[in-house]
Amino acid sequence: MKRNKNFDMHQPVLYLIAAPIGNLSEISKRALDVIREMDIIAAEDTRNTRSLLQNFGIKKELFSLREHNEVHASMALINFIREGKKVAYMSDAGYPGISDPGSKLVAKAIENNINVSTVSGSSAFLNALVASGLPTDHFYFYGFVSPKEKEAFDQLIELKEMKDTIIFYESPHRLFKTLKIMQSVFGDREVVLARELTKINEEYIRGKFSEILLLESEGLKGELVILVSGNHEPKKIDDNLLIKRVNQLKEKGLSTKNAIEITNEETDVSKNYIYDLVHK
């Protein structure tokens, strides 16, 4: 077991800084203060990060850490921190590690007894979720499905029975292909598209898959979040299993009536249906 107090002055800290997802004014004062204290800002795309920092009059040494060099670049950053340099990592938008590089860097830092602290900011999937109108008490964030149709189909099949709101990211050029695969797997469920979040063209599109697919000829631009309602169809349970459960409860001393009531609560199958099965 390890316990780490992040701001113990004797321990180095790697900062993960959430970047604005569109509107630059959403970056916090704390994020800017931390950036100004750093010696090195590692970035998914140094061009985008340089542009962001220039907007706030900040000039820093930038270091590239992206998907294809994350392992090698992570070790280089660990060595910088060991040398006493202050290092932070930023992805292009939102939180590092959320459908972006960063998780391997964090793992390497922890392995090397370097504390990790997050500087909060915007998150596309959370922004989309809370304004979607879909249930928010429980949700599942999946991120991007595979661009390969068969793999995407297999991935979605595993999510089909989930009752919670499911959240995906998708690029504009693959959006309608992905929506068609989702409809074939999930059926014609309620879905919400959230696009261009925090920007002037921010838009939420709510409807069933069949309705939203009518927009294919129009095309939709910008970064997209897809939110799909969970599976609320009653489960189809084999009649023999229902009878078996009632009998199990009766063997424990319950009356037939109480056994049927409990089986109804456990399965959501109607009491009348279970009663008819038992008394055939």
Side-chain angles (χ1 to χ4, degrees):
M1 181 176 73
K2 290 184 178 180
R3 295 181 64 178
N4 301 95
K5 290 191 174 181
N6 274 352
F7 304 114
D8 180 338
M9 297 304 292
H10 301 292
Q11 286 290 107
V13 179
L14 166 68
Y15 285 93
L16 306 174
I17 301 176
I21 60 176
N23 191 323
L24 297 186
S25 64
E26 289 202 331
I27 196 165
S28 68
K29 179 181 182 299
R30 181 177 179 235
L32 294 174
D33 287 345
V34 171
I35 289 169
R36 290 187 177 102
E37 291 177 7
M38 296 297 104
D39 299 306
I40 298 171
I41 303 294
E44 180 186 3
D45 187 322
T46 55
R47 295 166 299 179
N48 290 343
T49 302
R50 181 175 289 108
S51 177
L52 171 66
L53 298 188
Q54 285 175 346
N55 185 76
F56 295 98
I58 299 173
K59 187 174 182 180
K60 288 289 174 180
E61 179 182 347
L62 298 179
F63 182 94
S64 175
L65 185 149
R66 56 193 188 281
E67 180 182 359
H68 300 297
N69 77 342
E70 186 172 356
V71 173
H72 175 75
S74 293
M75 284 312 304
L77 290 175
I78 297 303
N79 289 332
F80 286 143
I81 295 171
R82 284 172 171 165
E83 292 168 3
K85 293 186 176 180
K86 296 179 180 179
V87 175
Y89 178 65
M90 302 175 69
S91 54
D92 285 351
Y95 279 74
I98 302 297
S99 290
D100 273 331
S103 62
K104 294 175 184 174
L105 170 61
V106 171
K108 287 293 182 186
I110 294 169
E111 284 176 17
N112 286 272
N113 296 315
I114 294 169
N115 291 348
V116 181
S117 183
T118 305
V119 180
S120 302
S122 298
S123 166
F125 83 81
L126 285 176
N127 282 26
L129 174 66
V130 297
S132 68
L134 296 177
T136 60
D137 47 350
H138 298 286
F139 61 90
Y140 184 83
F141 173 70
Y142 191 87
F144 289 94
V145 296
S146 171
K148 297 178 181 178
E149 186 170 343
K150 175 63 168 62
E151 290 182 7
F153 185 87
D154 291 342
Q155 290 168 348
L156 294 171
I157 282 289
E158 294 183 2
L159 306 174
K160 182 179 179 180
E161 301 303 324
M162 189 169 288
K163 293 185 177 181
D164 305 329
T165 300
I166 313 171
I167 309 171
F168 302 90
Y169 286 160
E170 192 49 279
S171 59
H173 71 278
R174 290 206 309 261
L175 173 65
F176 288 99
K177 177 182 176 183
T178 298
L179 290 176
K180 289 174 184 176
I181 300 171
M182 287 181 173
Q183 184 187 35
S184 72
V185 173
F186 296 141
D188 205 19
R189 292 192 200 173
E190 293 293 329
V191 61
V192 178
L193 296 188
R195 70 180 196 92
E196 295 286 79
L197 293 175
T198 76
K199 301 178 185 177
I200 191 67
N201 292 317
E202 178 176 285
E203 181 180 23
Y204 284 82
I205 305 171
R206 301 175 176 91
K208 293 186 178 296
F209 279 113
S210 57
E211 295 171 316
I212 291 178
L213 284 168
L214 295 175
L215 300 175
E216 183 172 9
S217 60
E218 176 184 326
L220 294 172
K221 298 179 180 178
E223 297 302 315
L224 290 144
V225 184
I226 305 171
L227 304 100
V228 181
S229 62
N231 183 3
H232 302 298
E233 293 292 324
K235 285 186 177 180
K236 293 182 180 179
I237 300 176
D238 185 88
D239 289 349
N240 291 326
L241 292 177
L242 293 170
I243 295 169
K244 182 179 179 180
R245 181 56 178 155
V246 170
N247 289 334
Q248 286 175 339
L249 293 167
K250 287 171 65 176
E251 288 170 4
K252 293 181 179 179
L254 274 71
S255 68
T256 300
K257 179 183 176 182
N258 287 341
I260 289 172
E261 288 176 348
I262 291 174
T263 303
N264 157 252
E265 292 172 1
E266 292 176 342
T267 63
D268 286 333
V269 177
S270 77
K271 285 187 277 188
N272 288 340
Y273 184 83
I274 299 171
Y275 180 89
D276 290 342
L277 280 179
V278 172
H279 290 88
K280 272 185 179 179

